[in-house]
Amino acid sequence: MSEAADQGSPTRHPKPNPDRRPMQVLVLGGTTESSALVALLARETDLSVTLSLAGRTAAPRPGPVPMRVGGFGGVEGLARWLAGNGIEAVIDATHPFAARISANAAAACGAGGVPLIAVRRPAWERQSGDAWIEVENVPACLDALGPESRTVFLTIGRQELSAFARAPQHAYVVRTIEPVGEALPVPNLVTVSARGPFTLEDEVRFMREARIEVLVTKNSGGAATYPKIEAARRLGLPVVIVDRPALPDVPAVTDAAGALRWLKTELVRRGFT
Ligand code: NAP
């Protein structure tokens, strides 16, 4: 250790340059990570952040940064929006199954030379005691469930529920954040609107009371919804689990703190501080 370090030399923090406007940042959101991320970024005076949501949630909670809602109109629309709003860095903090917007972000940022980082939570890994049947996509869940009638706990979100209408022999318990509406026209359907996080005890009790025989889920990763996987393990239930789609090969971090560190490096690299 150097003498200066021994004496506790002060750490150098780059000072914001008063002549520069803040760096314009777009966060593509719709996940727990994106909410945590914008809360972190909102405190940074050298960043001006806009959060973009697809508009799947009817009344998104107002957050600490300006929000825009709705699609951009494909790669070209996004590229135009980035240029028109002077965006200087993009953070893709969308859900790991939101493959189209991630691909669009990679293409639009690549074309416009806008630095991009993805926040990608690690996938869940099979543990001892897990009875997983891994499938490639949501329609493939039907074969995994088989022809016999079973009580199925469906936790794959709302958008692809209609695939299960082809297997009306099962009894479905569907849990989503937004109400399901007419998305799954089957004779035996129970719907629950709820937003995680859920505890292991609650999940075990819920699955027992609903007499669940098999859980169907996406391999979303993250802590907020992992207890359903643990509950299935504890109850000895099989889990039909949808593997992640292919995502573009872009630089990635695993959490909000990692994205902030990347932005700080970008600020210095591009002379904002
Ligand atoms: P997707 O298939 O990748 O996206 C479909 C289209 O929705 C995109 O092409 C884009 O429209 C628009 N879009 C998606 N995310 C957007 C965003 N953050 N801001 C503006 N436009 C966006 O994604 P998805 O599966 O429909 O998911 C939509 C949103 O829900 C994502 O933000 C994702 O994080 C969140 N979400 C998805 C899941 C899931 O399992 N898929 C689960 C939880 C949350 P244009 O092409 O017109 O720009």
Side-chain angles (χ1 to χ4, degrees), residues 158-192:
R158 230 180 356 154
Q159 291 186 66
E160 293 178 89
L161 278 179
S162 61
F164 293 86
R166 286 200 288 113
Q169 73 275 25
H170 302 302
Y172 292 100
V173 178
V174 178
R175 184 171 70 196
T176 50
I177 295 175
E178 295 287 311
V180 167
E182 305 300 309
L184 182 52
V186 288
N188 202 338
L189 173 70
V190 173
T191 60
V192 181

mmCIF file of all heavy atoms in Angstrom, residues 158-192:
data_model
loop_
_atom_site.group_PDB
_atom_site.id
_atom_site.type_symbol
_atom_site.label_atom_id
_atom_site.label_comp_id
_atom_site.label_asym_id
_atom_site.label_seq_id
_atom_site.Cartn_x
_atom_site.Cartn_y
_atom_site.Cartn_z
ATOM 1 N N ARG A 158 -49.959 -12.518 -19.120
ATOM 2 C CA ARG A 158 -51.260 -12.504 -19.800
ATOM 3 C C ARG A 158 -51.167 -12.776 -21.292
ATOM 4 O O ARG A 158 -52.057 -13.367 -21.898
ATOM 5 C CB ARG A 158 -51.846 -11.099 -19.625
ATOM 6 C CG ARG A 158 -53.246 -11.059 -19.129
ATOM 7 C CD ARG A 158 -53.740 -9.645 -18.990
ATOM 8 N NE ARG A 158 -52.756 -8.620 -19.274
ATOM 9 C CZ ARG A 158 -53.053 -7.391 -19.689
ATOM 10 N NH1 ARG A 158 -54.309 -7.051 -19.893
ATOM 11 N NH2 ARG A 158 -52.118 -6.483 -19.892
ATOM 12 N N GLN A 159 -50.052 -12.318 -21.887
ATOM 13 C CA GLN A 159 -50.024 -12.195 -23.348
ATOM 14 C C GLN A 159 -50.161 -13.505 -24.107
ATOM 15 O O GLN A 159 -50.709 -13.522 -25.201
ATOM 16 C CB GLN A 159 -48.730 -11.509 -23.776
ATOM 17 C CG GLN A 159 -48.679 -10.059 -23.372
ATOM 18 C CD GLN A 159 -47.439 -9.391 -23.956
ATOM 19 O OE1 GLN A 159 -47.317 -9.251 -25.155
ATOM 20 N NE2 GLN A 159 -46.521 -9.004 -23.109
ATOM 21 N N GLU A 160 -49.640 -14.596 -23.538
ATOM 22 C CA GLU A 160 -49.645 -15.859 -24.290
ATOM 23 C C GLU A 160 -50.595 -16.892 -23.699
ATOM 24 O O GLU A 160 -50.521 -18.081 -24.022
ATOM 25 C CB GLU A 160 -48.222 -16.420 -24.354
ATOM 26 C CG GLU A 160 -47.299 -15.557 -25.194
ATOM 27 C CD GLU A 160 -45.879 -16.099 -25.199
ATOM 28 O OE1 GLU A 160 -45.552 -16.920 -26.052
ATOM 29 O OE2 GLU A 160 -45.108 -15.678 -24.319
ATOM 30 N N LEU A 161 -51.534 -16.443 -22.855
ATOM 31 C CA LEU A 161 -52.441 -17.377 -22.195
ATOM 32 C C LEU A 161 -53.301 -18.157 -23.174
ATOM 33 O O LEU A 161 -53.638 -19.321 -22.945
ATOM 34 C CB LEU A 161 -53.380 -16.601 -21.256
ATOM 35 C CG LEU A 161 -52.832 -16.239 -19.876
ATOM 36 C CD1 LEU A 161 -53.892 -15.464 -19.118
ATOM 37 C CD2 LEU A 161 -52.408 -17.492 -19.126
ATOM 38 N N SER A 162 -53.664 -17.505 -24.288
ATOM 39 C CA SER A 162 -54.629 -18.125 -25.202
ATOM 40 C C SER A 162 -54.126 -19.462 -25.751
ATOM 41 O O SER A 162 -54.919 -20.298 -26.167
ATOM 42 C CB SER A 162 -54.964 -17.169 -26.349
ATOM 43 O OG SER A 162 -53.786 -16.900 -27.066
ATOM 44 N N ALA A 163 -52.802 -19.690 -25.722
ATOM 45 C CA ALA A 163 -52.256 -20.967 -26.199
ATOM 46 C C ALA A 163 -52.893 -22.152 -25.458
ATOM 47 O O ALA A 163 -53.058 -23.231 -26.026
ATOM 48 C CB ALA A 163 -50.740 -20.992 -26.003
ATOM 49 N N PHE A 164 -53.271 -21.942 -24.189
ATOM 50 C CA PHE A 164 -53.779 -23.052 -23.379
ATOM 51 C C PHE A 164 -55.246 -23.368 -23.673
ATOM 52 O O PHE A 164 -55.772 -24.365 -23.181
ATOM 53 C CB PHE A 164 -53.550 -22.760 -21.889
ATOM 54 C CG PHE A 164 -52.085 -22.748 -21.548
ATOM 55 C CD1 PHE A 164 -51.335 -21.582 -21.697
ATOM 56 C CD2 PHE A 164 -51.441 -23.898 -21.138
ATOM 57 C CE1 PHE A 164 -49.973 -21.573 -21.427
ATOM 58 C CE2 PHE A 164 -50.077 -23.904 -20.870
ATOM 59 C CZ PHE A 164 -49.334 -22.724 -21.023
ATOM 60 N N ALA A 165 -55.894 -22.534 -24.485
ATOM 61 C CA ALA A 165 -57.288 -22.821 -24.871
ATOM 62 C C ALA A 165 -57.360 -24.128 -25.659
ATOM 63 O O ALA A 165 -58.416 -24.759 -25.721
ATOM 64 C CB ALA A 165 -57.849 -21.659 -25.697
ATOM 65 N N ARG A 166 -56.221 -24.543 -26.250
ATOM 66 C CA ARG A 166 -56.196 -25.809 -26.999
ATOM 67 C C ARG A 166 -56.160 -27.028 -26.068
ATOM 68 O O ARG A 166 -56.220 -28.158 -26.550
ATOM 69 C CB ARG A 166 -54.976 -25.835 -27.934
ATOM 70 C CG ARG A 166 -55.122 -24.928 -29.140
ATOM 71 C CD ARG A 166 -54.171 -25.325 -30.265
ATOM 72 N NE ARG A 166 -52.793 -24.984 -29.946
ATOM 73 C CZ ARG A 166 -51.817 -25.878 -29.739
ATOM 74 N NH1 ARG A 166 -52.054 -27.167 -29.828
ATOM 75 N NH2 ARG A 166 -50.600 -25.472 -29.457
ATOM 76 N N ALA A 167 -56.041 -26.817 -24.776
ATOM 77 C CA ALA A 167 -56.027 -27.937 -23.826
ATOM 78 C C ALA A 167 -57.075 -27.670 -22.742
ATOM 79 O O ALA A 167 -56.744 -27.438 -21.570
ATOM 80 C CB ALA A 167 -54.640 -28.100 -23.213
ATOM 81 N N PRO A 168 -58.367 -27.689 -23.125
ATOM 82 C CA PRO A 168 -59.427 -27.316 -22.172
ATOM 83 C C PRO A 168 -59.723 -28.403 -21.142
ATOM 84 O O PRO A 168 -60.549 -28.194 -20.254
ATOM 85 C CB PRO A 168 -60.640 -27.086 -23.095
ATOM 86 C CG PRO A 168 -60.377 -27.928 -24.298
ATOM 87 C CD PRO A 168 -58.889 -28.013 -24.466
ATOM 88 N N GLN A 169 -59.026 -29.566 -21.264
ATOM 89 C CA GLN A 169 -59.268 -30.647 -20.288
ATOM 90 C C GLN A 169 -58.681 -30.329 -18.916
ATOM 91 O O GLN A 169 -59.082 -30.915 -17.917
ATOM 92 C CB GLN A 169 -58.687 -31.975 -20.809
ATOM 93 C CG GLN A 169 -57.165 -32.115 -20.793
ATOM 94 C CD GLN A 169 -56.464 -31.537 -22.027
ATOM 95 O OE1 GLN A 169 -57.005 -30.651 -22.685
ATOM 96 N NE2 GLN A 169 -55.270 -32.015 -22.328
ATOM 97 N N HIS A 170 -57.739 -29.354 -18.869
ATOM 98 C CA HIS A 170 -57.110 -29.028 -17.580
ATOM 99 C C HIS A 170 -57.939 -27.992 -16.811
ATOM 100 O O HIS A 170 -58.675 -27.205 -17.413
ATOM 101 C CB HIS A 170 -55.704 -28.458 -17.801
ATOM 102 C CG HIS A 170 -54.793 -29.389 -18.543
ATOM 103 N ND1 HIS A 170 -54.507 -30.654 -18.100
ATOM 104 C CD2 HIS A 170 -54.116 -29.234 -19.705
ATOM 105 C CE1 HIS A 170 -53.684 -31.246 -18.948
ATOM 106 N NE2 HIS A 170 -53.439 -30.410 -19.945
ATOM 107 N N ALA A 171 -57.770 -28.009 -15.498
ATOM 108 C CA ALA A 171 -58.311 -26.927 -14.667
ATOM 109 C C ALA A 171 -57.174 -25.927 -14.465
ATOM 110 O O ALA A 171 -56.067 -26.318 -14.069
ATOM 111 C CB ALA A 171 -58.758 -27.483 -13.326
ATOM 112 N N TYR A 172 -57.439 -24.651 -14.767
ATOM 113 C CA TYR A 172 -56.366 -23.654 -14.716
ATOM 114 C C TYR A 172 -56.562 -22.682 -13.559
ATOM 115 O O TYR A 172 -57.656 -22.143 -13.374
ATOM 116 C CB TYR A 172 -56.310 -22.857 -16.014
ATOM 117 C CG TYR A 172 -55.876 -23.686 -17.203
ATOM 118 C CD1 TYR A 172 -56.811 -24.190 -18.107
ATOM 119 C CD2 TYR A 172 -54.532 -23.978 -17.412
ATOM 120 C CE1 TYR A 172 -56.413 -24.954 -19.199
ATOM 121 C CE2 TYR A 172 -54.126 -24.749 -18.506
ATOM 122 C CZ TYR A 172 -55.079 -25.231 -19.389
ATOM 123 O OH TYR A 172 -54.674 -25.987 -20.453
ATOM 124 N N VAL A 173 -55.492 -22.447 -12.817
ATOM 125 C CA VAL A 173 -55.444 -21.353 -11.851
ATOM 126 C C VAL A 173 -54.414 -20.383 -12.428
ATOM 127 O O VAL A 173 -53.237 -20.720 -12.559
ATOM 128 C CB VAL A 173 -55.006 -21.856 -10.458
ATOM 129 C CG1 VAL A 173 -54.912 -20.688 -9.488
ATOM 130 C CG2 VAL A 173 -55.966 -22.931 -9.954
ATOM 131 N N VAL A 174 -54.890 -19.196 -12.809
ATOM 132 C CA VAL A 174 -54.027 -18.246 -13.525
ATOM 133 C C VAL A 174 -53.760 -17.042 -12.628
ATOM 134 O O VAL A 174 -54.693 -16.386 -12.166
ATOM 135 C CB VAL A 174 -54.712 -17.767 -14.829
ATOM 136 C CG1 VAL A 174 -53.839 -16.741 -15.535
ATOM 137 C CG2 VAL A 174 -54.985 -18.944 -15.750
ATOM 138 N N ARG A 175 -52.483 -16.763 -12.394
ATOM 139 C CA ARG A 175 -52.154 -15.572 -11.602
ATOM 140 C C ARG A 175 -51.409 -14.573 -12.497
ATOM 141 O O ARG A 175 -50.396 -14.910 -13.102
ATOM 142 C CB ARG A 175 -51.275 -15.947 -10.406
ATOM 143 C CG ARG A 175 -51.001 -14.723 -9.501
ATOM 144 C CD ARG A 175 -50.320 -15.121 -8.218
ATOM 145 N NE ARG A 175 -48.966 -15.538 -8.446
ATOM 146 C CZ ARG A 175 -48.223 -16.228 -7.556
ATOM 147 N NH1 ARG A 175 -48.739 -16.565 -6.386
ATOM 148 N NH2 ARG A 175 -46.998 -16.569 -7.842
ATOM 149 N N THR A 176 -51.965 -13.365 -12.575
ATOM 150 C CA THR A 176 -51.372 -12.298 -13.397
ATOM 151 C C THR A 176 -51.447 -10.988 -12.615
ATOM 152 O O THR A 176 -52.203 -10.874 -11.643
ATOM 153 C CB THR A 176 -52.167 -12.109 -14.718
ATOM 154 O OG1 THR A 176 -53.553 -11.984 -14.391
ATOM 155 C CG2 THR A 176 -51.973 -13.270 -15.682
ATOM 156 N N ILE A 177 -50.689 -9.999 -13.093
ATOM 157 C CA ILE A 177 -50.752 -8.680 -12.442
ATOM 158 C C ILE A 177 -52.030 -7.969 -12.876
ATOM 159 O O ILE A 177 -52.798 -7.478 -12.062
ATOM 160 C CB ILE A 177 -49.495 -7.854 -12.793
ATOM 161 C CG1 ILE A 177 -48.256 -8.532 -12.201
ATOM 162 C CG2 ILE A 177 -49.623 -6.416 -12.266
ATOM 163 C CD1 ILE A 177 -46.937 -7.891 -12.576
ATOM 164 N N GLU A 178 -52.250 -7.934 -14.173
ATOM 165 C CA GLU A 178 -53.465 -7.307 -14.713
ATOM 166 C C GLU A 178 -54.550 -8.383 -14.869
ATOM 167 O O GLU A 178 -54.221 -9.547 -15.117
ATOM 168 C CB GLU A 178 -53.167 -6.721 -16.093
ATOM 169 C CG GLU A 178 -52.178 -5.586 -16.076
ATOM 170 C CD GLU A 178 -52.767 -4.308 -15.508
ATOM 171 O OE1 GLU A 178 -53.870 -3.917 -15.948
ATOM 172 O OE2 GLU A 178 -52.143 -3.707 -14.630
ATOM 173 N N PRO A 179 -55.841 -8.014 -14.776
ATOM 174 C CA PRO A 179 -56.898 -9.021 -14.947
ATOM 175 C C PRO A 179 -56.794 -9.719 -16.304
ATOM 176 O O PRO A 179 -56.403 -9.123 -17.299
ATOM 177 C CB PRO A 179 -58.184 -8.196 -14.851
ATOM 178 C CG PRO A 179 -57.794 -6.933 -14.174
ATOM 179 C CD PRO A 179 -56.358 -6.683 -14.483
ATOM 180 N N VAL A 180 -57.181 -10.995 -16.326
ATOM 181 C CA VAL A 180 -57.017 -11.841 -17.517
ATOM 182 C C VAL A 180 -58.053 -11.528 -18.596
ATOM 183 O O VAL A 180 -57.797 -11.692 -19.789
ATOM 184 C CB VAL A 180 -57.120 -13.321 -17.079
ATOM 185 C CG1 VAL A 180 -57.271 -14.238 -18.270
ATOM 186 C CG2 VAL A 180 -55.903 -13.701 -16.248
ATOM 187 N N GLY A 181 -59.220 -11.103 -18.182
ATOM 188 C CA GLY A 181 -60.301 -10.834 -19.151
ATOM 189 C C GLY A 181 -60.701 -12.112 -19.863
ATOM 190 O O GLY A 181 -60.838 -13.167 -19.238
ATOM 191 N N GLU A 182 -60.851 -12.038 -21.196
ATOM 192 C CA GLU A 182 -61.321 -13.197 -21.972
ATOM 193 C C GLU A 182 -60.158 -13.995 -22.566
ATOM 194 O O GLU A 182 -60.355 -14.808 -23.470
ATOM 195 C CB GLU A 182 -62.219 -12.719 -23.130
ATOM 196 C CG GLU A 182 -63.395 -11.847 -22.720
ATOM 197 C CD GLU A 182 -64.328 -12.566 -21.764
ATOM 198 O OE1 GLU A 182 -64.740 -13.693 -22.077
ATOM 199 O OE2 GLU A 182 -64.600 -11.998 -20.674
ATOM 200 N N ALA A 183 -58.947 -13.759 -22.076
ATOM 201 C CA ALA A 183 -57.763 -14.320 -22.744
ATOM 202 C C ALA A 183 -57.723 -15.841 -22.759
ATOM 203 O O ALA A 183 -57.121 -16.424 -23.657
ATOM 204 C CB ALA A 183 -56.488 -13.788 -22.082
ATOM 205 N N LEU A 184 -58.368 -16.510 -21.812
ATOM 206 C CA LEU A 184 -58.277 -17.981 -21.765
ATOM 207 C C LEU A 184 -59.682 -18.585 -21.635
ATOM 208 O O LEU A 184 -60.175 -18.838 -20.528
ATOM 209 C CB LEU A 184 -57.381 -18.414 -20.591
ATOM 210 C CG LEU A 184 -57.140 -19.913 -20.432
ATOM 211 C CD1 LEU A 184 -56.656 -20.545 -21.722
ATOM 212 C CD2 LEU A 184 -56.169 -20.176 -19.304
ATOM 213 N N PRO A 185 -60.344 -18.829 -22.788
ATOM 214 C CA PRO A 185 -61.709 -19.361 -22.748
ATOM 215 C C PRO A 185 -61.716 -20.883 -22.528
ATOM 216 O O PRO A 185 -61.732 -21.654 -23.481
ATOM 217 C CB PRO A 185 -62.257 -18.984 -24.139
ATOM 218 C CG PRO A 185 -61.045 -18.893 -25.017
ATOM 219 C CD PRO A 185 -59.871 -18.584 -24.157
ATOM 220 N N VAL A 186 -61.670 -21.302 -21.279
ATOM 221 C CA VAL A 186 -61.729 -22.734 -20.924
ATOM 222 C C VAL A 186 -62.786 -22.893 -19.830
ATOM 223 O O VAL A 186 -63.082 -21.938 -19.108
ATOM 224 C CB VAL A 186 -60.355 -23.244 -20.408
ATOM 225 C CG1 VAL A 186 -59.339 -23.352 -21.541
ATOM 226 C CG2 VAL A 186 -59.819 -22.362 -19.288
ATOM 227 N N PRO A 187 -63.369 -24.098 -19.718
ATOM 228 C CA PRO A 187 -64.483 -24.259 -18.770
ATOM 229 C C PRO A 187 -64.085 -24.173 -17.304
ATOM 230 O O PRO A 187 -64.880 -23.763 -16.460
ATOM 231 C CB PRO A 187 -65.033 -25.656 -19.093
ATOM 232 C CG PRO A 187 -64.003 -26.337 -19.922
ATOM 233 C CD PRO A 187 -63.165 -25.291 -20.557
ATOM 234 N N ASN A 188 -62.840 -24.570 -17.003
ATOM 235 C CA ASN A 188 -62.458 -24.627 -15.594
ATOM 236 C C ASN A 188 -61.292 -23.668 -15.323
ATOM 237 O O ASN A 188 -60.136 -24.009 -15.513
ATOM 238 C CB ASN A 188 -62.069 -26.077 -15.247
ATOM 239 C CG ASN A 188 -62.188 -26.325 -13.759
ATOM 240 O OD1 ASN A 188 -62.148 -25.379 -12.960
ATOM 241 N ND2 ASN A 188 -62.324 -27.576 -13.382
ATOM 242 N N LEU A 189 -61.656 -22.441 -14.922
ATOM 243 C CA LEU A 189 -60.660 -21.377 -14.810
ATOM 244 C C LEU A 189 -60.863 -20.578 -13.516
ATOM 245 O O LEU A 189 -61.973 -20.135 -13.231
ATOM 246 C CB LEU A 189 -60.804 -20.432 -16.012
ATOM 247 C CG LEU A 189 -59.962 -19.162 -16.010
ATOM 248 C CD1 LEU A 189 -58.491 -19.480 -16.209
ATOM 249 C CD2 LEU A 189 -60.436 -18.209 -17.124
ATOM 250 N N VAL A 190 -59.799 -20.423 -12.768
ATOM 251 C CA VAL A 190 -59.810 -19.525 -11.605
ATOM 252 C C VAL A 190 -58.734 -18.480 -11.877
ATOM 253 O O VAL A 190 -57.611 -18.831 -12.259
ATOM 254 C CB VAL A 190 -59.469 -20.296 -10.306
ATOM 255 C CG1 VAL A 190 -59.308 -19.342 -9.134
ATOM 256 C CG2 VAL A 190 -60.530 -21.335 -10.019
ATOM 257 N N THR A 191 -59.060 -17.201 -11.701
ATOM 258 C CA THR A 191 -58.053 -16.165 -11.948
ATOM 259 C C THR A 191 -57.759 -15.400 -10.655
ATOM 260 O O THR A 191 -58.655 -15.163 -9.843
ATOM 261 C CB THR A 191 -58.516 -15.170 -13.032
ATOM 262 O OG1 THR A 191 -59.713 -14.548 -12.578
ATOM 263 C CG2 THR A 191 -58.750 -15.860 -14.356
ATOM 264 N N VAL A 192 -56.492 -15.042 -10.526
ATOM 265 C CA VAL A 192 -56.049 -14.280 -9.349
ATOM 266 C C VAL A 192 -55.205 -13.130 -9.862
ATOM 267 O O VAL A 192 -54.266 -13.348 -10.625
ATOM 268 C CB VAL A 192 -55.166 -15.169 -8.431
ATOM 269 C CG1 VAL A 192 -54.718 -14.392 -7.204
ATOM 270 C CG2 VAL A 192 -55.878 -16.447 -8.061
#
